Amino acid sequence: MADNSIHTDLFSPTKLGEIELANRIVMAPLTRSRVNKEGVPNELNVTYYVQRASAGLIISEATNISAQGRGYAMTPGIWTEDQVEGWKKVTDAIHLAGGKLVIQLWHVGRCSHVDLQPNREAPVAPSAIKADGNVYTESGIQEVSMPRALRIDEIPGIVEQYRHAAECAKRAGFDGVEIHSANNYLLEQFLRDSTNHRTDQYGGSIENRVRLALEVVEAVTSVWSSGRVGIRLSPVTTEVGNTPLDSNVMATYSYLIQQLNKFKLAYLHFVEGTTGKNRTVPENVDLGTLRSLFDGAYIGNNNYDFEMAISRRAEGQVDAVAFGRPFISNPDLVERLRYGIKLADVTNDAYYGNGAKGYTDWPKANSF
């Protein structure tokens, strides 16, 4: 069958840093809560990822870097040998299918519950400020717990958690790593003055609040070539926890992005608007300006449809486009977009849990 007649290079090969992609369609990280209590990927996860291997790049579901970093039940980890072996089965199968997979490294910070923490300890955060929202635990949905502020002598240990996770990811056979500094999890909690009220060298000024994110990037790039490391940012999202924005989004994120340029990262993965909800941006924020400050490749994310992806790519606004929810119900999303085949819809009850149902039982179209 002939390719879609619409002129676009979204289906052409490209590179993000050192990572070679068969096309510019990226599968966004999607938490699906389908692993065991030990956070070890299983054969069901292998099937799920391989079904979607035609994406130019798959960014894994957010993956906990430590037991402390965990904020939701049945989410995978990348700090134990069993987890490494579980992920190795996934990466081997993806590569056999011709796909590429990077792992998203995750520490939720304050967005957790004591039931999910070692010894039922309080979650950690830059400051003892409670999030507004719920998390999914083995006992069901529960309100987030009150966090405690990290002591300054504990922060090197947080950086080491990221470094160790990056090392484990390398042994697990991933094509790269993405540092999750978005969606108001730990690193973004440090970035924003709404969630960071510290008075030491990790709080107060923009330079101080950005410090931890940059130390994490430095640690990860000590393990991986910088051309195989990306970062995800979400300057104007209020998700998760209905978190207030930074008081000066443009100043904080402009400084951060310019500092990130020193590392020559593979890509910047940008949430354009409120994660998973809308693309509304405050009047005093210009995401285009922030995007233009980054020297490397740019992945646009958040409520893209195919027409928007084509348009923004044609305008040179994106190097690749990340699709999230459409990949849940359309494992063959790339082919459906390419040949103009109707997309299957997904409902909320398929997102989390339920084993294979709503996870690996979506049929592929057979019209190409």
Side-chain angles (χ1 to χ4, degrees):
M1 180 180 290
D3 286 358
N4 193 305
S5 59
I6 298 174
H7 177 69
T8 178
D9 66 354
L10 287 171
F11 304 109
S12 300
T14 190
K15 288 184 72 174
L16 301 180
E18 297 171 20
I19 308 170
E20 296 185 1
L21 280 60
N23 57 67
R24 298 173 186 265
I25 307 295
V26 175
M27 177 174 156
L30 294 162
T31 295
R32 306 300 307 278
S33 296
R34 255 78 169 203
V35 301
N36 61 21
K37 290 182 179 181
E38 288 71 43
V40 178
N42 52 53
E43 291 302 323
L44 192 64
N45 307 128
V46 173
T47 300
Y48 167 76
Y49 280 107
V50 169
Q51 286 176 340
R52 291 152 180 82
S54 60
L57 179 67
I58 297 175
I59 303 172
S60 81
E61 59 204 283
T63 302
N64 307 304
I65 62 170
S66 66
Q68 181 196 67
R70 184 167 170 253
Y72 303 85
M74 295 189 289
T75 51
I78 188 66
W79 76 90
T80 72
E81 285 307 306
D82 285 346
Q83 292 163 354
V84 169
E85 289 305 310
W87 276 119
K88 186 72 165 60
K89 294 175 183 177
V90 176
T91 61
D92 283 349
I94 282 284
H95 294 151
L96 192 62
K100 296 290 175 66
L101 177 65
V102 300
I103 188 168
Q104 189 186 66
L105 302 182
W106 192 29
H107 191 308
V108 302
R110 68 179 189 158
C111 299
S112 187
H113 187 275
V114 293
D115 285 357
L116 296 164
Q117 292 290 308
N119 304 314
R120 301 195 80 252
E121 296 170 359
V124 298
S127 302
I129 303 171
K130 188 174 178 293
D132 178 15
N134 302 311
V135 292
Y136 177 48
T137 74
E138 277 85 1
S139 303
I141 302 295
Q142 298 196 59
E143 185 178 339
V144 295
S145 297
M146 181 70 184
R148 68 171 180 85
L150 281 160
R151 301 187 312 271
I152 194 161
D153 65 304
E154 294 178 291
I155 292 180
I158 297 291
V159 177
E160 172 57 22
Q161 289 177 25
Y162 279 95
R163 192 206 64 76
H164 175 69
E167 193 175 68
C168 289
K170 200 166 195 178
R171 289 191 287 111
F174 285 92
D175 295 289
V177 298
E178 176 175 294
I179 297 167
H180 196 350
S181 187
N183 294 5
N184 296 305
Y185 293 116
L186 183 67
L187 295 183
E188 190 159 42
Q189 290 161 24
F190 269 85
L191 293 176
R192 296 187 180 193
D193 55 14
S194 61
T195 47
N196 182 346
H197 293 180
R198 300 178 73 93
T199 56
D200 56 22
Q201 61 261 48
Y202 290 92
S205 69
I206 291 172
E207 292 81 0
N208 284 353
R209 286 183 279 115
V210 165
R211 190 185 307 277
L212 178 59
L214 296 179
E215 288 180 350
V216 166
V217 173
E218 185 172 15
V220 171
T221 55
S222 74
V223 176
W224 286 84
S225 165
S226 60
R228 291 188 176 273
V229 177
I231 191 167
R232 191 184 204 200
L233 303 179
S234 59
V236 298
T237 193
T238 53
E239 302 295 305
V240 296
N242 298 316
T243 304
L245 300 185
D246 187 74
S247 64
N248 192 336
V249 171
M250 292 301 291
T252 297
Y253 284 85
S254 292
Y255 177 80
L256 171 61
I257 291 169
Q258 290 175 86
Q259 294 303 305
L260 290 173
N261 283 333
K262 297 177 181 178
F263 293 95
K264 302 186 185 307
L265 299 180
Y267 64 81
L268 170 61
H269 180 192
F270 219 57
V271 179
E272 301 168 350
T274 300
T275 309
K277 291 192 173 181
N278 59 62
R279 295 179 57 81
T280 302
V281 176
E283 290 184 1
N284 61 345
V285 177
D286 184 347
L287 294 185
T289 295
L290 293 179
R291 180 259 176 274
S292 69
L293 292 174
F294 188 67
D295 291 341
Y298 176 87
I299 302 175
N301 182 308
N302 204 35
N303 288 330
Y304 271 77
D305 58 24
F306 190 39
E307 290 71 25
M308 184 187 299
I310 291 171
S311 173
R312 286 182 61 77
R313 175 59 198 150
E315 295 166 357
Q317 298 299 311
V318 297
D319 295 289
V321 176
F323 292 89
R325 282 170 292 188
F327 263 112
I328 293 178
S329 52
N330 299 276
D332 53 347
L333 180 65
V334 174
E335 291 81 6
R336 287 179 186 248
L337 294 177
R338 186 167 192 164
Y339 297 117
I341 298 171
K342 180 178 172 58
L343 302 187
D345 294 326
V346 64
T347 55
N348 290 359
D349 59 358
Y351 288 176
Y352 310 115
N354 293 331
K357 182 175 172 54
Y359 188 60
T360 57
D361 59 353
W362 297 98
K364 291 187 177 183
N366 55 10
S367 303
F368 46 83

